[in-house]
Amino acid sequence: MAALRSRAAGRAAVSFETFMDVALYDPGVGYYRGPGTRIGYSPGADFLTATSSAPLFGRLVAEACAALLSPADAGRFEFVEVGAERGACVLDGVAHAFRSARTAGIGQELRLEGPTVVFSNELFDAQPFRRFRRRQGRWREIGVIIGPQLAMAELETMAPLPFELPADAPEGYLIDAPFLAAALCGAIARQPWTGLFLALDYGKTWEELSRHAPNGTARSYRMHVQGSDLLESPGAQDLTCHVCWDWLSSGLRSAGFDEPTLESQESFFTLRAGDFIGSYAAAHAGDRSREKLSLLQLLHPANLGQSFQALWSRRIA
């Protein structure tokens, strides 16, 4: 609470974006800055991601990225994973065709130049977002009151918006707006590098967010349980919302990337790493190993295959 009051600088309330930034990224108390286990199958973890299926997931990523660059050319490129958990690269322990591989973790300066593959897994959905509710014919920003107990409330004033909110939204409509995710994508794209951008995440188009998600998309995760109380135990639970694919795509286009492609995770890996998937499935026919089950988890439509999407684009010199 002290860290939040410090950021409030005497104000009674802060934007939800500020609250989330403190709850997740404050160097002293932030969820992503703490030493605990967040990802994995252990009882103390909070959620699973594709990286829980390492090194198989890394092999799929390496195969797909090399295919998009052409395998013969991949050796010119450095592979950079942005937002990697505790510096553990998705390619650790994986044979790959790239010149080198490194991570740019939370709190680290990100410098990109030359031929590069920029990869992220669930980076953009973890960026702080602002919340807005339509009431009495206008949009009102939702913030967090800093009292004996934290509480959601409408802010008296609303900071300028980088994107327009729909003027014809129905009464009570709630939008969780990931503006910082879009800004981060643009900042990555504007750096002096060429090559491949690939983000695996979950999101929606602006049409879906602004027309077909009336209750917003924000949620929390703790001990493998999805919750809706975003203010419970700040610093001890994950907070997230769907990214806006249109905004990320716009940032790539404005930085000179080719028209971005958005497809399901299942489709992306099946089309770009199909030979590896086929050979692996044949070699492990009838196998019930954890790694075989991980492949099904990553690709099956009922699991991560459809709930996650791949956004990719190239800027080749």
Side-chain angles (χ1 to χ4, degrees):
M1 192 72 77
L4 192 56
R5 287 197 177 96
S6 176
R7 285 288 296 274
R11 291 169 294 168
V14 296
S15 69
F16 187 83
E17 184 179 81
T18 298
F19 164 78
M20 186 172 171
D21 187 49
V22 173
L24 294 188
Y25 298 110
D26 181 84
V29 300
Y31 175 77
Y32 281 107
R33 297 299 189 97
T37 300
R38 292 179 284 273
I39 299 173
Y41 294 91
S42 66
D46 293 319
F47 55 89
L48 296 175
T49 74
T51 57
S52 304
S53 300
L56 179 63
F57 177 58
R59 182 69 186 276
L60 289 170
V61 170
E63 293 282 340
C65 290
L68 287 170
L69 294 169
S70 87
D73 198 37
R76 295 195 303 113
F77 292 82
E78 179 182 41
F79 182 97
V80 180
E81 182 178 1
V82 182
E85 179 73 6
R86 302 203 198 293
C89 183
V90 69
L91 297 189
D92 287 347
V94 173
H96 60 80
F98 306 113
R99 172 170 53 87
S100 60
R102 66 179 174 93
T103 63
I106 294 169
Q108 296 179 327
E109 183 180 7
L110 178 61
R111 289 191 176 184
L112 304 167
E113 58 184 359
T116 307
V117 175
V118 174
F119 168 76
S120 67
N121 181 64
E122 293 197 66
L123 167 68
F124 294 102
D125 70 75
Q127 301 308 304
F129 53 87
R130 292 169 67 180
R131 312 198 81 197
F132 303 92
R133 188 179 297 280
R134 187 77 170 175
R135 189 170 67 82
Q136 296 180 342
R138 68 183 183 91
W139 287 101
R140 302 161 191 264
E141 184 159 9
I142 298 174
V144 177
I145 295 176
I146 309 169
Q149 299 292 326
L150 299 176
M152 297 279 193
E154 293 179 0
L155 299 177
E156 293 183 2
T157 59
M158 190 164 71
L161 302 178
F163 300 99
E164 291 275 341
L165 299 178
D168 58 347
E171 179 77 5
Y173 199 99
L174 177 65
I175 289 180
D176 294 309
F179 295 143
L180 288 187
L184 175 59
C185 183
I188 290 171
R190 288 190 297 272
Q191 292 207 32
W193 62 279
T194 57
L196 172 67
F197 173 95
L198 169 62
L200 300 179
D201 226 311
Y202 52 86
K204 296 179 181 292
T205 64
W206 178 238
E207 173 72 15
E208 291 171 322
L209 289 173
S210 62
R211 304 288 182 183
H212 307 295
N215 298 314
T217 63
R219 52 194 184 268
S220 64
Y221 285 96
R222 189 176 188 187
M223 300 182 69
H224 297 283
V225 176
Q226 178 180 316
S228 58
D229 187 347
L230 307 183
L231 304 184
E232 181 182 13
S233 304
Q237 66 174 357
D238 190 25
L239 300 172
T240 180
C241 82
H242 280 61
V243 303
C244 180
W245 292 122
D246 295 330
W247 296 352
L248 269 60
S249 296
S250 178
L252 294 170
R253 283 193 295 266
S254 66
F257 279 76
D258 295 340
E259 182 62 29
T261 297
L262 178 66
E263 53 196 336
S264 70
Q265 181 169 288
E266 173 197 14
S267 176
F268 176 78
F269 283 130
T270 300
L271 292 174
R272 310 288 166 348
D275 289 346
F276 167 71
I277 293 170
S279 62
Y280 182 90
H284 295 269
D287 188 351
R288 297 289 294 176
S289 68
R290 183 167 178 170
E291 191 172 55
K292 176 70 173 295
L293 294 177
S294 292
L295 183 63
L296 295 176
Q297 177 81 3
L298 291 168
L299 300 180
H300 197 282
N303 296 315
L304 302 182
Q306 287 293 325
S307 57
F308 279 75
Q309 295 89 50
L311 180 71
W312 63 271
S313 184
R314 290 173 292 209
R315 181 174 60 188
I316 304 298

